[in-house]
């Protein structure tokens, strides 16, 4: 049977990158909106009504029409090609390694551990694209004189290296790795655990319905757990250096300043577009990944049968 065909580790990395990239292209406008809402929260000159999702959507459409929702798409694609290829490929590889001889899935603590490792490694590799993505998606919200005007992710990375030093590619890397640890523990471990739990109920089979239910559960858990860290990461990666001093000294400092200056619940500012982005992205990523993996197994099984 095709289900018994093993998937090489290299293919797991490729399939992970493809599935996440396709999902990103679909949900990119929501990522842009989420970043704009998070950046609006820090501007004291902006009224509360101007920080609302509805106002920001209307202003974006008024500025540039539909194209306002697609800045930084090239950076988003590069981010998935680096970050998600690594985290999904590494998680699935480690999942196989830690499974029992009878293919019994590892326990929840092991799932959490390998998810955290996969996320941290992926974040370290994908941070340069992440920095470019944050800057490109929030550029239109800056005063005209301060806008960077990057034309593509490669233009952004080249200018950042030339104007600010190549080390700036990894600005906020620790915050990004911290967020990735939280996101991947919540997302990957909860997806695997949800699949097992739903299958045990007897109401599900291993098909697209199960994948949808598991990924929706994973998306909700991931949203609540990771949004505060994501806001801190966004602030750090888009911050300016004032008189030689950075606005934030780290993730915790950024979160403390958000609570102090804007209120505790602003740690979940933009939760609707964030979930609207995380939910569909999680669902699409896992559904595409499952279907791509299954297609690979079928083709590999057919080829082995011919031989």
């Amino acid at each position: 049977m095709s289900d018994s065909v093993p998937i090489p580790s290299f293919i797991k990395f490729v399939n992970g990158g493809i599935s996440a990239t396709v999902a990103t292209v679909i949900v990119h406008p929501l990522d842009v909106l989420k970043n704009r809402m998070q950046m609006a929260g820090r501007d004291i000159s902006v009224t509360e009504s101007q920080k609302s999702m509805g106002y920001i959507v209307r202003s974006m459409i008024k500025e540039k029409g539909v194209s306002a929702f697609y800045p930084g798409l090239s950076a988003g694609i590069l981010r998935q090609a680096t970050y998600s290829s690594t985290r999904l490929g590494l998680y699935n590889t480690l999942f196989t390694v830690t499974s029992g001889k009878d293919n019994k899935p590892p326990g929840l603590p092991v799932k959490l551990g390998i998810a955290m490792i996969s996320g941290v490694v992926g974040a370290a590799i994908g941070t340069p694209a992440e920095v470019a993505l944050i800057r490109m998606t929030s550029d239109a919200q800056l005063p005209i004189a301060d806008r960077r005007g990057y034309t593509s992710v490669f233009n952004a990375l080249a200018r950042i290296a030339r104007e600010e030093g190549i080390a700036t590619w990894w600005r906020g890397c620790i915050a990004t790795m911290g967020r990735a640890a939280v996101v991947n523990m919540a997302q990957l471990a909860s997806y695997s655990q949800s699949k097992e739990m739903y299958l045990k109920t007897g109401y599900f089979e291993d098909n697209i319905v199960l994948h949808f239910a598991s990924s929706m559960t994973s998306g909700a858990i991931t949203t609540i757990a990771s949004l505060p860290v994501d806001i801190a990461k966004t602030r750090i990666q888009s911050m300016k250096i004032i008189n030689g001093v950075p606005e934030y000294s780290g993730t915790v400092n950024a979160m403390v300043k958000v609570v102090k200056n804007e209120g505790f619940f602003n740690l979940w500012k933009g939760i609707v577009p964030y979930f609207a982005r995380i939910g569909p992205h999680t669902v699409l990523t896992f559904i595409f990944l499952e279907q791509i993996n299954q297609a690979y197994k079928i083709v590999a099984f057919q080829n082995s049968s011919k031989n």
Side-chain angles (χ1 to χ4, degrees):
M1 297 294 291
S2 62
D3 286 342
S4 62
V5 176
I7 300 177
S9 293
F10 172 74
I11 298 299
K12 292 178 180 178
F13 282 80
V14 173
N15 290 353
I18 292 173
S19 61
T21 298
V22 174
T24 290
V25 171
I26 295 173
V27 305
H28 185 74
L30 295 171
D31 203 27
V32 173
L33 177 59
K34 181 263 296 182
N35 288 340
R36 290 285 293 265
M37 290 188 69
Q38 289 181 356
M39 292 301 296
R42 66 184 294 189
D43 192 342
I44 59 175
S45 66
V46 176
T47 65
E48 286 302 314
S49 63
Q50 292 175 326
K51 296 177 183 179
S52 69
M53 182 171 64
Y55 180 88
I56 293 175
V57 168
R58 290 192 299 272
S59 65
M60 289 173 68
I61 293 175
K62 185 177 180 180
E63 287 170 10
K64 293 185 178 180
V66 177
S67 64
F69 293 90
Y70 287 92
L73 180 58
S74 61
I77 292 173
L78 181 61
R79 177 177 179 271
Q80 297 305 329
T82 51
Y83 167 62
S84 285
S85 293
T86 302
R87 74 184 183 98
L88 292 173
L90 185 57
Y91 177 79
N92 286 321
T93 298
L94 294 175
F95 190 94
T96 300
V97 171
T98 55
S99 295
K101 294 182 179 179
D102 56 351
N103 290 324
K104 182 179 179 180
L108 180 58
V110 175
K111 291 191 187 85
L112 290 170
I114 62 176
M116 181 183 67
I117 293 170
S118 302
V120 168
V121 174
I125 295 173
T127 295
E130 179 90 7
V131 171
L133 175 63
I134 294 297
R135 291 189 175 197
M136 292 175 75
T137 55
S138 60
D139 198 48
Q141 203 164 6
L142 297 173
I144 294 177
D146 293 336
R147 293 180 187 178
R148 299 177 175 101
Y150 300 134
T151 57
S152 71
V153 64
F154 300 109
N155 173 258
L157 291 174
R159 282 183 51 191
I160 289 171
R162 184 174 65 251
E163 297 168 7
E164 304 172 54
I166 200 168
T168 308
W169 282 4
W170 279 274
R171 174 176 290 174
C173 185
I174 300 301
T176 303
M177 291 168 69
R179 173 189 178 276
V182 174
V183 166
N184 284 274
M185 283 194 294
Q187 187 184 65
L188 300 181
S190 66
Y191 179 75
S192 300
Q193 196 71 16
S194 296
K195 279 181 66 177
E196 291 178 33
M197 292 175 61
Y198 289 145
L199 281 171
K200 288 179 180 179
T201 65
Y203 295 107
F204 291 87
E205 296 181 0
D206 193 356
N207 55 28
I208 197 168
V209 176
L210 171 66
H211 305 155
F212 178 80
S214 301
S215 56
M216 281 298 291
T217 302
S218 172
I221 293 172
T222 303
T223 297
I224 296 170
S226 68
L227 184 51
V229 185
D230 185 76
I231 286 177
K233 174 192 68 66
T234 300
R235 298 291 179 87
I236 291 171
Q237 290 182 326
S238 61
M239 71 180 176
K240 289 185 175 295
I241 307 299
I242 303 173
N243 296 324
V245 180
E247 291 181 82
Y248 309 107
S249 61
T251 302
V252 174
N253 178 255
M255 293 172 66
V256 168
K257 285 187 176 180
V258 169
V259 173
K260 181 179 179 180
N261 299 328
E262 304 165 37
F264 176 75
F265 289 105
N266 265 37
L267 287 174
W268 286 271
K269 180 73 174 179
I271 192 170
V272 173
Y274 188 69
F275 176 72
R277 186 264 184 194
I278 286 287
H281 191 274
T282 300
V283 170
L284 292 172
T285 296
F286 284 125
I287 286 179
F288 288 147
L289 182 59
E290 297 275 12
Q291 297 305 308
I292 292 171
N293 284 343
Q294 188 60 38
Y296 174 86
K297 289 181 178 181
I298 291 173
V299 172
F301 178 75
Q302 291 175 343
N303 290 337
S304 63
S305 298
K306 291 178 182 179
N307 298 330

